[in-house]
């Protein structure tokens, strides 16, 4: 709808009782000639509630003269029209006043769970107020049963139980048939549910993204473009005048249900345990690097900073081909033992390789250059330049891999670790703190680090789709108990 903001201002002047005769006429003309204006007006006022409210509140208005603007003398032939306008204006004003009273008290949703959100708590009921959450995640249930998970940083407010404005933030909605038509409104456009599960990402700068997990939605830009139907597995970016499809990333969202596990982890004191073990690691003389991605140490590269595992913490997010973070550590030594570990939230699988850490000089044939990744089989791989596999090991691609894939961990924080020992000629893999696989090498060079990239490696087939939090590089071999303790202390879930 064009001029939606000016239309809302016009209605607001009715609520204030200051609308002029010209504005009354303007409003009436809009309502008579513009179906979208009538629809918006009825939705704003929640017509069903308006009718009930009129019965309750109408008696408080003694005469139309009290609320109508002063109407000057008009030709007799127009008096009937003015009478109609005045009657309509009075009805509108009464409805607006009553609905304004209702809007101040009516609740549109309830907080089902909140993880690390200071100004929202479980059981809190939300009306038309605006909410800004700077940290954490919250799960809401609307009056009609739609479940909505919102991740900080976010700014939102309900216009009604079926219309939610998202000015900033990341949202996932699970909408039952009873709430069909649930609508998310962003600065770039709106998304209308047709019975489905979907996500909306409204970054601080840029255009809104819509991702359909299941079912169907209708997306339309605020420029009034043609409504676009999106179905399972499709994603759409609302750009004014240039709508575009984009890569589907269902796992990029905190889904309804995950907030409960995150809240339980916080309540169990996991964040404190994580900080304690990180402090121990910072004192480890073998520490090469520990990236927690908190300020003031942003690295060079192309990536987004988003919320990490803890409310208010940060992680690096890699979305597009070419996204990467530069790193240059450990290049002054050769490392006979090396431990690599990171918390990773993968959005998408199916790429040939997803880069966790790739040193830049692999192609210079420097023995020991390190490439750590998730491969096309969704397992971890640790490749060192010049190394060879031990005879008899069945591995058709020639590199040490983990045994268990990460497919079941898609859309959740998962802890990945590998311990390399050139003296023992072994690579040991760990998934969520548990030993997974060991592979023997015939030739095992000491590891060589230096200039490297996280999230990509100058090639389109190495793009990581997801977030990385707390990447650890240690110049010694951690044992099984240490890896398990590292995972247990940093696990955000319960």
């Amino acid at each position: 709808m064009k001029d939606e903001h000016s239309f809302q201002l016009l209605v607001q002047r009715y609520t204030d009782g200051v609308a002029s005769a010209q504005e009354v006429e303007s409003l009436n003309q809009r309502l008579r000639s513009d179906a979208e204006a009538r629809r918006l007006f009825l939705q704003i006022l929640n017509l069903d509630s308006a009718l009930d409210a009129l019965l309750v509140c109408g008696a408080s208005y003694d005469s139309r003269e009290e609320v109508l603007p002063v109407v000057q003398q008009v030709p007799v032939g127009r008096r009937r029209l003015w009478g109609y306008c005045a009657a309509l204006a009075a009805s509108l004003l009464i409805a607006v006043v009553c609905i304004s009273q209702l809007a101040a008290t009516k609740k549109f949703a309830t907080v089902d769970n909140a993880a690390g959100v200071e100004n929202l708590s479980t059981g809190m009921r939300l009306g038309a107020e605006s909410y800004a959450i700077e940290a954490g995640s919250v799960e809401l249930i609307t009056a009609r049963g739609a479940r909505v998970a919102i991740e900080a940083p976010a700014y939102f407010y309900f216009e009604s139980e079926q219309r939610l404005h998202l000015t900033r933030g990341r949202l996932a909605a699970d909408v039952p048939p009873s709430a069909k038509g649930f609508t998310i409104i962003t600065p770039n456009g709106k998304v209308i549910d047709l019975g489905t599960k979907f996500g909306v990402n409204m970054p601080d700068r840029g255009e809104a993204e819509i991702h359909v997990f299941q079912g169907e939605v209708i997306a339309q830009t605020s420029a009034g473009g043609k409504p676009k139907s999106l179905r399972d597995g499709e994603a759409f970016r609302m750009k004014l005048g240039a709508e575009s499809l984009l890569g589907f990333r269902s796992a990029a969202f905190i889904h309804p249900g995950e907030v409960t596990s995150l809240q339980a982890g916080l309540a169990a004191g996991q964040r404190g345990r994580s900080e304690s073990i990180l402090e121990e690691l910072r004192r480890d003389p073998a520490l090469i690097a520990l990236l927690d991605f908190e300020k003031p140490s942003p690295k060079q590269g192309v990536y987004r900073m988003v919320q990490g595992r803890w409310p208010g913490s940060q992680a690096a997010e890699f979305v597009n081909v070419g996204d990467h973070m530069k790193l240059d550590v450990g290049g002054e030594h050769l490392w006979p033992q090396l431990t690599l570990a990171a918390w990773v939230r993968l959005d998408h699988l199916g790429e040939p390789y997803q880069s966790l850490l790739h040193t830049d000089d692999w192609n210079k044939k420097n023995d020991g250059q390190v490439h750590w990744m998730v491969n096309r089989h969704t397992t971890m791989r640790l490749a060192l330049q010049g190394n060879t596999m031990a005879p008899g090991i069945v591995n058709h691609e020639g590199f040490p891999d983990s045994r268990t894939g990460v497919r079941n961990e898609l859309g959740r924080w998962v802890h990945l670790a590998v311990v390399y020992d050139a003296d023992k000629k072994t690579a040991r893999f760990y998934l969520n703190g548990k030993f997974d696989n060991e592979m023997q090498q015939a030739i095992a060079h000491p590891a060589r680090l230096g200039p490297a990239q996280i999230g990509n490696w100058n090639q389109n087939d190495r793009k990581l789709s997801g977030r990385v939090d707390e990447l650890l590089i240690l110049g010694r071999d951690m044992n099984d108990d240490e890896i398990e303790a590292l995972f247990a202390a940093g696990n955000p879930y319960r």
Side-chain angles (χ1 to χ4, degrees), residues 291 293 297-303 305 316 318 322-328 452-454:
L291 304 183
F293 301 102
S297 58
K299 304 295 182 184
Q300 289 185 333
V302 180
Y303 53 91
M305 294 306 299
F318 306 91
D323 286 1
H324 68 281
M325 175 179 286
K326 290 185 177 295
L327 183 69
D328 188 356
Q453 297 176 49
I454 302 167

Side-chain angles (χ1 to χ4, degrees), residues 113-167:
N113 218 324
V117 181
E118 292 185 353
N119 54 337
L120 296 174
S121 58
T122 301
M124 185 174 173
R125 301 182 68 199
L126 308 185
E129 304 89 350
S130 298
Y131 295 94
I133 57 174
E134 299 299 328
S137 303
V138 62
E139 183 175 341
L140 312 173
I141 304 178
T142 70
R144 294 195 184 184
R147 285 190 172 271
V148 182
I150 301 175
E151 183 179 7
Y155 183 86
F156 66 95
Y157 67 93
F158 281 95
E159 179 185 307
S160 71
E161 61 194 23
Q162 286 288 86
R163 291 170 68 88
L164 173 61
H165 288 252
L166 182 70
T167 305

Side-chain angles (χ1 to χ4, degrees), residues 72-80 82:
Q72 298 179 350
Q73 292 295 322
V74 295
V76 175
R78 297 177 59 189
R79 288 179 181 172
R80 181 173 298 174
W82 274 110

